[in-house]
Amino acid sequence: MRAISPLTSIVGPAKALDLLCRDQQLTAERAYDLGLVTEVTDDHRADEAATKFALALANGPTKSFCEIKSLVRDEQAVMAAATREADAQARLAFTEDHQEAVRSFVEKRNPSSKGASSATLHALLMVFVCSVTTLAFLCQRLPLFL
């Protein structure tokens, strides 16, 4: 079963065993509570919600979304993930969207994304904040690596 590993990583081994071994219907609300889905909507609004979500992705910094998706799915050690984040930053650092993301972060305002034609902004801002957080985490644990 290809679902066991991702399910276990999302809900943990005990809940994964419970879900896989019991003959119970998984409701939308339970899936949301377990973190298996990020949004629940009424049946009659499902198409509208899906379209809104798809348009938000399509009109956002798509290359950054791809980088973030890759980083999130990466199950390597913290050091390897930090290296990949640095590589992603290097690939995106000279784009207009990155420059706008940094300006908007400093000015404490929402960035203005160019969308699919360039690479960063909301997502790059998240990568930037994650990189700062990762750096702080590594600095706190630096003696462990020496």
Side-chain angles (χ1 to χ4, degrees):
M1 288 184 150
R2 297 178 120 188
I4 292 175
S5 179
L7 179 64
T8 302
S9 69
I10 294 169
V11 301
K15 287 182 183 173
L17 278 170
D18 184 57
L19 288 168
L20 294 167
C21 294
R22 288 191 188 201
D23 188 20
Q24 295 179 338
Q25 182 178 6
L26 182 64
T27 65
E29 290 77 16
R30 176 100 166 112
Y32 179 80
D33 291 342
L34 290 170
L36 295 173
V37 298
T38 58
E39 184 178 348
V40 175
T41 186
D42 295 328
D43 288 344
H44 67 279
R45 296 194 64 229
D47 287 342
E48 178 187 335
T51 300
K52 182 178 177 181
F53 179 71
L55 287 172
L57 290 177
N59 292 322
T62 55
K63 290 180 182 177
S64 290
F65 290 160
C66 290
E67 293 288 348
I68 289 171
K69 181 178 178 182
S70 175
L71 291 168
V72 168
R73 288 187 172 182
D74 189 1
E75 295 183 19
Q76 296 178 0
V78 173
M79 291 297 289
T83 300
R84 291 199 57 217
E85 285 182 23
D87 291 345
Q89 285 280 6
R91 284 191 295 275
L92 300 170
F94 297 103
T95 64
E96 290 178 41
D97 281 347
H98 173 74
Q99 293 168 4
E100 169 61 13
V102 172
R103 277 192 304 273
S104 67
F105 179 79
V106 170
E107 297 170 3
K108 297 181 181 183
R109 61 174 173 80
N110 288 329
S112 173
S113 177
K114 302 260 186 207
S117 63
S118 56
T120 22
L121 286 173
H122 296 287
L124 187 56
L125 189 56
M126 290 174 10
V127 171
F128 175 76
V129 171
C130 289
S131 295
V132 171
T133 304
T134 301
L135 180 60
F137 172 83
L138 293 175
C139 288
Q140 289 174 344
R141 285 151 182 82
L142 192 57
L144 298 175
F145 298 110
L146 297 177

